[in-house]
Amino acid sequence: MKTINAVRHHDADAAQAWLEVPKPIVKGLGIDNAISRKCLVDATSVYLMEPGASRLVQLALEEKQVEVVITEQSAS
């Protein structure tokens, strides 16, 4: 089983969370057009709003039998 590493970023003040996944993963799943425009994108990563967009990616990866390993990170 293949493993994808992701980072969950929390902003307690804004009561929001994002799941950071490598940009090629989202594009490779073919769901880059299905995620919200509120998701942030930089040169290497996509920051998926939780729970909606991040759940979409997790479900797509589970279908392909890919495990998602999530590291937690709080906003400073």
Side-chain angles (χ1 to χ4, degrees), residues 14-76:
Q16 293 180 325
W18 298 267
L19 186 66
E20 176 186 356
V21 295
K23 193 175 184 178
I25 298 301
V26 175
K27 198 159 187 69
L29 290 170
I31 59 172
D32 48 327
N33 291 326
I35 61 174
S36 170
R37 294 183 188 261
K38 293 180 183 178
C39 295
L40 305 172
V41 179
D42 66 18
T44 60
S45 299
V46 177
Y47 299 84
L48 304 160
M49 295 286 293
E50 293 209 296
S54 66
R55 188 68 186 140
L56 178 65
V57 170
Q58 288 174 318
L59 289 171
L61 289 171
E62 285 174 9
E63 275 185 16
K64 296 187 180 293
Q65 298 182 347
V66 176
E67 179 183 11
V68 180
V69 176
I70 300 173
T71 304
E72 303 285 333
Q73 182 176 20
S74 295
S76 33

